[in-house]
Amino acid sequence: GDVVLIPEATYYIIDKEGLVAERGDINKFYLAAEKTVSFVVPTGEKLAAGDYTAVLTFDLGDGANLTHEFDFHKDENGKMSITKISA
């Protein structure tokens, strides 16, 4: 196909108490049909060590949305690792 998506993407990071610890926008990217693209969820330095859930929402236009979640852990040294990806 000839379709190119340019989604508006946002993220929320939720702590283990269910409160939003951080939120923001993901830089705009272009996604051609049948291709993949990498992007970064910009978490801040202020995010304390602990377990979190990130919720990503992609507004595809014309009322279409795509939402994905993943759990991750941030250790005391600032290293982050994904612990679970939800479809």
Side-chain angles (χ1 to χ4, degrees):
D2 299 2
V3 176
V4 174
L5 295 176
I6 309 169
E8 297 285 332
T10 58
Y11 70 93
Y12 294 87
I13 297 178
I14 302 167
D15 65 19
K16 62 185 175 185
E17 283 80 36
L19 301 173
V20 174
E22 193 171 307
R23 68 184 75 188
D25 296 319
I26 297 171
N27 289 338
K28 193 174 283 190
F29 56 86
Y30 300 86
L31 179 59
E34 314 242 350
K35 300 292 181 184
T36 61
V37 66
S38 295
F39 59 90
V40 175
V41 177
T43 59
E45 296 294 320
K46 293 186 259 182
L47 197 61
D51 296 309
Y52 298 92
T53 299
V55 180
L56 311 178
T57 303
F58 302 90
D59 181 349
L60 306 175
D62 294 330
N65 291 301
L66 179 65
T67 301
H68 282 284
E69 294 183 16
F70 64 89
D71 295 341
F72 68 97
H73 177 78
K74 181 176 181 182
D75 70 18
E76 296 294 331
N77 297 316
K79 181 180 177 188
M80 295 186 205
S81 56
I82 294 175
T83 56
K84 179 182 174 187
I85 298 174
S86 302

